[in-house]
Amino acid sequence: IKEFREEIGDFEIVSKRLLGVFEAYKLGPTGIKFVSAIETDATIRQIKEINRDSNNLYEQLKTKGATHQEIKFEFKQKKLPVDGWEHNGVFGIPNDGYVIRKFIDSQPQNFAGISEGALTLYANSLGKQRSVRLFGS
């Protein structure tokens, strides 16, 4: 929850549950990772706006030579999540296990081990892979 608030924002959390554990071995933070699903009342539009504003402010402050502490102070003053700049280009995908797995499979080069593992674990928590019927009566 702390990480959620530091990176996404201070939105209402409507549910949370532990999904499981995986080992990240690809590039990025490796090792054993615990994954939780957190649902919020925020819309994807709100999350994207916070992310955009955070990235813009971070770039402005870095260009001016601000220190890490000064950046944190400015983010708190503007009521932005202090680590909201860590992810650039937030977007939404359908909340469907099959779609999520296909999304990961379509561009494996874009996922660090931690993100691939967390998304895969989440996709699997949504239920069995749905079969797609292309033809049938």
Side-chain angles (χ1 to χ4, degrees):
I1 292 172
K2 181 179 178 244
E3 195 72 12
F4 174 88
R5 295 206 191 289
E6 288 176 354
E7 294 182 17
I8 304 299
D10 193 20
F11 296 108
E12 182 72 28
I13 293 174
V14 296
S15 75
K16 59 186 182 249
R17 63 188 159 94
L18 179 66
L19 294 181
V21 181
F22 72 94
E23 183 174 6
Y25 55 87
K26 285 173 61 178
L27 293 176
T30 58
I32 304 297
K33 306 296 176 189
F34 292 83
V35 179
S36 296
I38 296 176
E39 288 186 53
T40 179
D41 67 345
T43 65
I44 189 65
R45 180 184 211 158
Q46 290 172 304
I47 292 169
K48 287 173 73 167
E49 287 172 359
I50 293 284
N51 179 256
R52 182 199 61 227
D53 294 348
S54 295
N55 277 289
N56 288 342
L57 179 59
Y58 182 80
E59 286 304 315
Q60 290 171 8
L61 294 171
K62 286 304 275 185
T63 300
K64 292 178 182 176
T67 66
H68 185 69
Q69 287 306 105
E70 291 168 331
I71 291 171
K72 275 190 152 185
F73 178 79
E74 284 296 320
F75 270 66
K76 286 179 182 177
Q77 292 293 356
K78 297 199 181 310
K79 297 187 179 356
L80 289 170
V82 294
D83 292 335
W85 54 269
E86 286 185 355
H87 306 285
N88 199 357
V90 171
F91 59 92
I93 58 174
N95 193 29
D96 178 276
Y98 176 79
V99 172
I100 294 169
R101 281 188 288 275
K102 287 297 181 186
F103 177 69
I104 295 165
D105 291 345
S106 71
Q107 45 189 324
Q109 73 281 1
N110 290 326
F111 290 96
I114 192 169
S115 57
E116 181 179 347
L119 277 172
T120 299
L121 192 59
Y122 178 71
N124 292 342
S125 77
L126 294 174
K128 292 183 185 176
Q129 186 169 348
R130 178 177 62 168
S131 62
V132 176
R133 287 178 62 177
L134 298 176
F135 306 100
S137 52

